[in-house]
Amino acid sequence: MPLPLRLALRDLRGGLSGLRLLAVCLFLGVLALAGVGSLSAAIVSGLAERGQSILGGDIQLSVSQRQADPQELAAIARVGQLSQLTRMRAMAARLDGAESILVELKGVDEAYPLYGTFRLQPGALRGRPRGPEVAIAPELAERLGLRVGDQLRIGNAALKIVGFIAEEPDRVGQGFTLGSTALVDDAGLAATGLVQPGSLYTSAYRLRLAPGQDVAATAKSLNERFKNAGFQVQDRSNGAPGVRRFIERLGQFLTLVGLTALIVAGIGVGNGVTSYLDSKRGIIATLKMLGATSTTIFQSYLLQIGIVALGAIAAGLAMGALVPWIVTLVAGSALPVPPSLSVYPVPLAASATYGLLIAFLFAILPLARARTVPAASLFRGSLEPPRRPAWTLLLAVTVAGGLIAALAIFTAREPPFAATFIAAVLGLVLMLTLLGWLIRLIAARLPRPRNPLFRLALANLHRPAAQTGRLVVALGLGLTLFTTLAVIETNLSGQIRTNIPAKAPSFFMLDIPVEEIGRFRAMAKGAAPGGDLVTIPSLRGSVVAIGDRRVAEMKEIPEGGWFLRGDRGLTYAAELPEGSRIVEGSWWPADYQGPPLVSLDVEAARAVGLKVGDSITVSILGRDIEARIASLREINWDTMGFNFVIVFAPGALESAPHSFMATISMPEAQERAFSRAVSNAFPSVSAIRVKEVVETVAGMLGQLSVAVRSAASVAILAGIAVLIGALAASRRARIYDSVMLKLLGATRGRILLAQALEFALLAAILAGVAFALGAGAGWYVVVKVLELDWAPDWGVVAATLAFGALVTLVLGLLGSLPALAARPARALRSL
């Protein structure tokens, strides 16, 4: 066995007390990364494994506001076993009209579902609804106060409730919906009378292919066959694209947060290694006096640190791999799909690589200092300053840092976002490093207080062995991250609680028949006197080409080109919509008659490279309409009214079957009566109460905040570990101070008070730094990125900072207790 390895193993037999901080820091950082990566991979894998059930078939073709004609239906049916369904929003109401609520109405045929199982809860009258019957979600029954066997009204039909839905295999594939499911068969859907020309509904045609049939090739063939008919073609490999994109993006963000925590932990690694090597000064000196070379010393302790680091990383990987099981057990019902419980090597390998690079990055310089210090100087304590490490080691550290950044950027789903995040973190680290240096400089230049306790507390911030710089970077980074998240979260929740309800209308109403718009306006004025009513024509279509590029042939939709995915809401207008401002081009005359023109949202247009004069082709009810872009608009989304990305000029869409949408604002006391009036007079109209939508979004943001705070808390824990490591690294100096002060007559209480003043001052500085940096970063995200009003809850932010400062103070005092307990006689013999 090589000599360095023998020395390393013999030294480790004495225990890991000096390397526990190294192990804890690496364990926390690797656990965060491995846990986030494994959970994200498990959910995405679950989506893929259940792709057939989530999509409802091997392939789905969907089209808005129309059904497939006989020729199209025959062509689809030739491919495989066919199931047809229709989805739309509708209002479900008690027969007495006392209560109504928005639902996601689904009309299915006998073949539904092609994959998976549709199941009702025990106590159902039959396995599935037939004719004038309906199966509803349990939460819908609870809201309306209905039981199995009762009737409810949807559209023009009174439907009997046959049971409550226990399992709906394709629920996730529908994406975000505002209402619970109400499921009927084709006859029940026809009885409602809701599917009319101009109604907003989606027809879906699902196929189950024969075993061995190539799904991707078949989907591509169908896409080519119906490319001009307005069909959206999906296959089972991506049954819920919106959910998948959300999970992948959230996973990427949490991974970057976890990487920030690992960087904070890396500072703790450096402190732990420094403290450990400081405790081995006598052993290192003895080995060098006996002839051991600097290389042998370096290799021996590098092996020790490497063995402990590998063990900590392995433990972090093991716990991280268990995170999908733990989350499924604790909060499985909150996940969009059950995760596919397995071990995922890719995120674990990435986490292990991060851990090894971080350990090397922060441990190599303390090792290099121990290697270069002469044996004689080791016996003199720490009187001689450490030598500067060799340029080769500095180069190795730079390469390791570059590899960490490269790995984070090139493995990210969105490399530009990852690069920006990494650059921001590095900039913050440099800023905190400079701040730590300034604190030490200012503390050294300030006049010495007359009170010896204050003088000692101030001196501890800038003395040669002070850990001020490292503590400012580590705890400052963790607290700044947590403060930033608190600012963003409270701002979003504040918008939802106050600003949005203040600006938003009381109701959004959909599917108002064109021929009934006059009667609807009269009813609205009578039911809500003084209500602010706005009506606008509405229909749906999909963008099939921009310029001469077909959307279906694009390998990847550009970031920001979300309006190219699926169907979009469309309208036509003679006047510029309220809340919009022309930034390029010009608006058409109110009496315009000519070739089709459109006005686009400027941000959406620039995201896909469109400009004034370019063409865009939209498929509406299977007919392609090519229009020239006449103007680009800046849309003020804060108006909370109707804001359409694509607005047509008059003359292009009026002849197409469509309906009207409306918003109305009124006092909250009138809302229930107005909802009943709409439901009774216009059964086909869907009235969406904005308050309920806000509550749904608030619940989703709450779940998201829990995930983000959980990942960010690792950074705080790592910062605490760094504080403990800093205290350990300065243990010799603190023992020396304690012994000298005791010899001069100081009591333990006085010494502890001096330590308290030091850490209180440091805690106050860190809280101020975190507040300034966190508020600035939060303002940028909220105002510049999310484009929302600036309204954080400063009470929550202050509580976060106060907690961080308190933890810093308490842990600092606890870490000082061993130094206070040192006996002067024994300490003087070893110092």
Side-chain angles (χ1 to χ4, degrees):
M1 186 181 297
L3 177 60
L5 182 58
R6 290 205 310 271
L7 292 173
L9 294 177
R10 286 176 181 174
D11 214 358
L12 288 175
R13 289 173 190 167
L16 302 177
S17 58
L19 292 175
R20 286 173 184 166
L21 179 63
L22 164 70
V24 169
C25 287
L26 282 179
F27 172 78
L28 288 173
V30 172
L31 168 61
L33 286 173
V36 168
S38 295
L39 182 60
S40 177
I43 295 177
V44 171
S45 180
L47 289 171
E49 288 181 2
R50 296 168 176 82
Q52 291 172 320
S53 299
I54 291 172
L55 183 63
D58 293 307
I59 296 174
Q60 174 179 279
L61 296 89
S62 57
V63 64
S64 293
Q65 290 188 279
R66 74 179 185 92
Q67 297 176 333
D69 61 36
Q71 292 79 16
E72 293 170 336
L73 195 59
I76 296 171
R78 284 195 293 269
V79 176
Q81 182 183 352
L82 176 64
S83 174
Q84 306 176 45
L85 63 85
T86 303
R87 295 197 310 268
M88 65 187 310
R89 296 184 185 92
M91 296 300 295
R94 295 171 55 97
L95 291 186
D96 59 10
E99 184 73 35
S100 62
I101 189 172
L102 183 73
V103 298
E104 193 76 15
L105 181 62
K106 182 188 292 186
V108 301
D109 61 7
E110 287 295 327
Y112 172 87
L114 294 177
Y115 290 98
T117 302
F118 174 77
R119 184 171 56 85
L120 299 181
Q121 292 182 357
L125 302 181
R126 66 171 79 240
R128 60 191 298 156
R130 301 186 185 281
E133 297 174 341
V134 63
I136 63 175
E139 60 270 19
L140 175 58
E142 183 178 352
R143 287 285 304 275
L144 294 177
L146 298 175
R147 297 175 296 178
V148 173
D150 292 343
Q151 288 187 316
L152 60 77
R153 180 164 55 81
I154 299 179
N156 298 320
L159 304 174
K160 183 179 181 180
I161 301 173
V162 297
F164 303 146
I165 299 172
E167 186 175 351
E168 185 184 0
D170 57 342
R171 182 72 176 87
V172 174
Q174 297 171 202
F176 175 73
T177 57
L178 296 175
S180 303
T181 300
L183 187 138
V184 297
D185 66 2
D186 290 337
L189 181 64
T192 65
L194 296 177
V195 179
Q196 299 291 336
S199 298
L200 297 177
Y201 66 93
T202 299
S203 300
Y205 302 88
R206 296 168 174 176
L207 291 167
R208 179 170 186 156
L209 304 184
Q213 195 169 351
D214 191 325
V215 175
T218 304
K220 184 177 180 180
S221 174
L222 287 170
N223 195 38
E224 184 66 26
R225 165 71 174 77
F226 295 108
K227 65 180 181 181
N228 297 321
F231 283 95
Q232 300 292 320
V233 181
Q234 291 176 258
D235 64 41
R236 67 190 185 198
S237 65
N238 198 13
V243 175
R244 185 188 184 104
R245 283 194 301 272
F246 173 76
I247 294 297
E248 289 177 343
R249 288 180 175 178
L250 178 60
Q252 173 185 307
F253 175 71
L254 294 181
T255 297
L256 293 172
V257 172
L259 182 58
T260 304
L262 186 57
I263 292 173
V264 175
I267 300 173
V269 169
N271 283 342
V273 172
T274 300
S275 175
Y276 179 67
L277 293 176
D278 185 61
S279 69
K280 299 292 183 179
R281 298 172 70 89
I283 296 175
I284 295 174
T286 302
L287 289 173
K288 284 195 171 186
M289 294 299 293
L290 293 174
T293 65
S294 295
T295 301
T296 300
I297 298 295
F298 179 83
Q299 292 175 349
S300 172
Y301 285 99
L302 178 63
L303 286 170
Q304 288 186 50
I305 292 166
I307 291 170
V308 175
L310 287 174
I313 290 171
L317 293 177
M319 285 298 298
L322 293 176
V323 166
W325 277 270
I326 297 172
V327 172
T328 301
L329 181 65
V330 175
S333 60
L335 299 175
V337 294
S340 178
L341 300 179
S342 182
V343 176
Y344 294 91
V346 173
L348 296 181
S351 302
T353 304
Y354 280 127
L356 289 171
L357 289 173
I358 287 290
F360 176 82
L361 179 67
F362 287 94
I364 195 68
L365 292 181
L367 280 169
R369 285 194 292 268
R371 176 185 185 277
T372 57
V373 175
S377 69
L378 292 172
F379 287 109
R380 303 188 192 113
S382 55
L383 297 178
E384 293 189 9
R387 298 181 184 178
R388 181 172 296 179
W391 68 270
T392 53
L393 288 176
L394 294 177
L395 178 62
V397 169
T398 304
V399 170
L403 288 175
I404 293 171
L407 183 62
I409 293 170
F410 292 111
T411 59
R413 186 178 184 274
E414 299 174 10
F417 173 77
T420 303
F421 189 95
I422 294 295
V425 171
L426 290 178
L428 181 59
V429 169
L430 291 175
M431 187 185 304
L432 290 171
T433 302
L434 177 61
L435 184 62
W437 178 80
L438 286 175
I439 290 173
R440 296 188 62 173
L441 180 65
I442 293 172
R445 298 290 178 86
L446 286 175
R448 293 185 178 185
R450 292 187 176 183
N451 189 305
L453 296 180
F454 285 98
R455 186 164 62 247
L456 180 60
L458 186 63
N460 282 340
L461 292 177
H462 65 83
R463 62 184 302 161
Q467 299 291 315
T468 305
R470 290 180 178 179
L471 287 176
V472 168
V473 173
L475 291 175
L477 192 61
L479 272 178
T480 297
L481 176 62
F482 223 64
T483 304
T484 302
L485 294 176
V487 168
I488 296 172
E489 181 186 343
T490 58
N491 205 97
L492 289 176
S493 59
Q495 296 282 336
I496 291 173
R497 289 194 309 268
T498 57
N499 292 8
I500 291 179
K503 297 178 181 179
S506 303
F507 288 94
F508 283 95
M509 284 156 289
L510 311 176
D511 291 331
I512 306 170
V514 174
E515 62 276 9
E516 297 280 358
I517 187 62
R519 187 167 71 91
F520 177 84
R521 287 169 178 155
M523 182 278 303
K525 290 181 180 179
D532 184 11
L533 178 67
V534 177
T535 59
I536 190 170
S538 169
L539 63 166
R540 297 190 68 82
S542 59
V543 179
V544 295
I546 51 175
D548 56 356
R549 292 182 294 166
R550 302 290 299 184
V551 173
E553 296 172 359
M554 292 182 178
K555 293 183 179 180
E556 186 175 354
I557 301 296
E559 183 65 24
W562 51 270
F563 70 103
L564 301 181
R565 298 187 181 100
D567 293 325
R568 294 293 115 206
L570 306 172
T571 191
Y572 56 89
E575 303 292 339
L576 180 65
E578 183 181 357
S580 293
R581 181 175 67 87
I582 298 296
V583 294
E584 292 184 29
S586 59
W587 193 257
W588 44 76
D591 57 351
Y592 175 79
Q593 293 180 353
L597 297 177
V598 294
S599 177
L600 290 186
D601 170 46
V602 63
E603 293 183 1
R606 289 173 178 170
V608 297
L610 290 174
K611 60 183 182 300
V612 173
D614 291 343
S615 65
I616 182 171
T617 304
V618 180
S619 178
I620 302 174
L621 301 175
R623 176 191 170 195
D624 285 357
I625 299 177
E626 182 177 356
R628 183 176 63 83
I629 299 174
S631 63
L632 301 179
R633 291 169 294 123
E634 183 179 81
I635 300 176
N636 180 13
W637 300 97
D638 288 346
T639 60
M640 296 299 296
F642 290 121
N643 295 302
F644 289 82
V645 174
I646 304 174
V647 178
F648 275 81
L653 304 183
E654 285 90 330
S655 60
H658 64 283
S659 59
F660 271 76
M661 305 169 72
T663 63
I664 188 169
S665 301
M666 66 187 71
E668 187 173 350
Q670 298 180 0
E671 290 182 358
R672 189 174 296 274
F674 179 81
S675 179
R676 287 198 301 267
V678 172
S679 178
N680 293 330
F682 297 90
S684 65
V685 174
S686 299
I688 303 173
R689 195 180 182 199
V690 174
K691 182 179 179 180
E692 295 174 354
V693 177
V694 169
E695 291 174 353
T696 301
V697 174
M700 293 176 61
L701 285 176
Q703 294 177 353
L704 180 62
S705 296
V706 170
V708 175
R709 284 198 303 268
S710 299
S713 63
V714 178
I716 297 296
L717 292 175
I720 292 172
V722 171
L723 175 59
I724 296 172
L727 294 172
S730 60
R731 181 177 61 248
R732 286 171 56 86
R734 292 186 182 277
I735 291 176
Y736 181 86
D737 285 345
S738 176
V739 168
M740 292 297 105
L741 289 172
K742 285 180 180 179
L743 291 174
L744 293 173
T747 64
R748 289 187 179 184
R750 301 281 289 177
I751 298 172
L752 185 62
L753 180 58
Q755 304 282 2
L757 290 173
E758 173 192 349
F759 288 108
L761 183 59
L762 184 61
I765 293 172
L766 288 174
V769 169
F771 176 80
L773 295 177
W779 175 86
Y780 181 81
V781 172
V782 170
V783 176
K784 296 298 182 181
V785 178
L786 300 179
E787 298 182 355
L788 297 174
D789 292 337
W790 177 241
D793 187 336
W794 295 115
V796 175
V797 176
T800 301
L801 290 172
F803 175 75
L806 181 63
V807 168
T808 301
L809 177 60
V810 171
L811 289 179
L813 292 177
L814 291 177
S816 301
L817 294 179
L820 294 177
R823 295 182 178 275
R826 179 182 298 178
L828 288 173
R829 285 194 293 267
S830 60
L831 286 175

